[in-house]
Structure formats: structure tokens, C-alpha cells
Amino acid sequence: KAIFVAATGQNVGKTTICLGMIAALKKRIPRLGFMKPVGQQHLRVGEDLLVDKDVVLFKEYFHLPAHYSDMSPVIFPKGFTRDYLDGKISEEALRNKISKSFKTLEKEHDFILIEGTGHTGVGSIANINNGQVAALLNVPIILIASGGLGSAFDELALNKTLCEKHGAEVVGVILNRVLPEKREMVIEYM
């Protein structure tokens, strides 16, 4: 019913890969949904709704019918961390908001692609990092890393361990941006 796409870091191609996945899946699954449970970079939609910028892109480009508030339930705007640490925002409220939005999307869609934010540990300060959210929603994870061997393996090991610590199952890995001349070597050793 859903897959969570997370990354070992920023700018490894997570959103681009998700765009390709949605484009391909949309041909086979008419009631396809998209969600970014925790967002950092956001836009204002309407008068008072902050929405992750990737959600705006996916909703508008693919004409997705779900409400912005369900596709982007939690945003980390400026000052969020201090407000959370000062007790103005509760972990329970954040987790409930994510769960409620996911349940709404589940009712309306046959499959949901969930995009994580930043690297797997982003959101840890509020106990809603990518691994914790995937576990909360009981959705398996695909990890994306930049192509290579040593550093890619190290980053995957670190991020996979965090996912597993929180009970999220990593079911696949995508190595992005593997140089053509290194492709066979990466396949052999990875």
C-alpha cells in the first residue's frame, strides 16, 4: 500500500527519484497518493497553510487530488526546534497528525509514495525522524545514496542502522549518480 523513500543525505536525488517513481506508478495505479510527512523547506498555500515545497510540486504537476494538509502534515518552520523544546509543540501531537493524515490518504488511494526529508536522522530532535515515521506508519523504506563504494556503503550502514533501531524495515537501496565507468565495479562490490 505504501513505500517510504529516504536518503543518506541531502541532494542525493531523492525528490528526482520520487518524481520518476510517481510518473511510472501513475500509469499503473490510477489512485496514487504522495506524502511528505515532515517538511523543512516550505511555501505558504492560501492564507495560513505552510506546505513542503516538494508537495506543492507533486500535487500541481501530477494533479493529485489529496488535500495539502494530508500530504504535508508537519512542517519545521523557523523557530520550530525551540518551540518543541520549550513544550509549545508535543511529540504526541506531531505523531498523531502524521498518522491521521496517512490514514486519510490510505482510504483515498491504492498506493502512497512517501518521501522523507533530508537524511534519515532529520527530525530526531522531535522524535519524528524518517526511520521513526516509517515505523509509525508501518511502511518499508528504500534508502537512496550517492553512487560510489566506500562512502556510499558507510552512509548506508549508518542510515540503515538508525531505521532498524526504530523498527523500520529497509527493503531496498538505490545508488544514484554512479559514474558510468565505475558502474560494473560498484555492482560487483556493493
Side-chain angles (χ1 to χ4, degrees), residues 5-190:
V5 179
T8 60
Q10 287 183 310
N11 304 314
V12 297
K14 178 174 28 70
T15 300
T16 303
I17 287 172
C18 285
L19 284 166
M21 290 173 77
I22 287 281
L25 290 168
K26 198 145 171 57
K27 294 174 186 173
R28 296 183 177 165
I29 304 170
R31 292 180 354 125
L32 180 64
F34 177 80
M35 177 184 200
K36 190 159 183 180
V38 178
Q40 296 178 83
Q41 297 179 11
H42 56 275
L43 302 170
R44 187 170 300 280
V45 175
E47 290 187 25
D48 61 351
L49 184 63
L50 297 179
V51 177
D52 185 88
K53 67 177 181 56
D54 293 335
V55 168
V56 174
L57 169 67
F58 280 79
K59 181 170 174 55
E60 291 181 8
Y61 185 80
F62 292 108
H63 309 289
L64 301 175
H67 294 284
Y68 278 117
S69 58
D70 289 324
M71 296 172 74
S72 181
V74 173
I75 294 293
F76 282 16
K78 188 174 180 134
F80 174 89
T81 301
R82 287 186 306 275
D83 286 347
Y84 177 81
L85 295 172
D86 289 339
K88 296 176 184 173
I89 301 167
S90 78
E91 175 186 334
E92 182 181 5
L94 296 172
R95 294 172 76 81
N96 286 341
K97 201 170 183 185
I98 291 168
S99 292
K100 183 180 175 202
S101 292
F102 182 70
K103 285 176 186 164
T104 299
L105 292 174
E106 262 189 321
K107 289 176 194 166
E108 299 170 354
H109 300 89
D110 297 319
F111 188 82
I112 303 163
L113 182 68
I114 304 168
E115 181 181 350
T117 190
H119 57 74
T120 305
V122 170
S124 290
I125 196 153
N127 290 314
I128 54 169
N129 68 41
N130 291 288
Q132 289 167 311
V133 172
L136 172 70
L137 303 177
N138 195 29
V139 174
I141 293 180
I142 294 175
L143 280 175
I144 300 171
S146 281
L149 196 54
S151 63
F153 193 91
D154 294 346
E155 290 167 2
L156 284 165
L158 183 65
N159 284 267
K160 183 176 183 283
T161 300
L162 183 63
C163 291
E164 291 170 344
K165 176 190 183 299
H166 295 294
E169 180 187 15
V170 177
V171 295
V173 169
I174 296 173
L175 292 177
N176 193 28
R177 300 186 192 135
V178 175
L179 298 173
E181 62 272 15
K182 293 187 176 187
R183 185 175 184 279
E184 292 305 316
M185 181 271 299
V186 169
I187 290 171
E188 179 182 345
Y189 289 109
M190 196 55 85

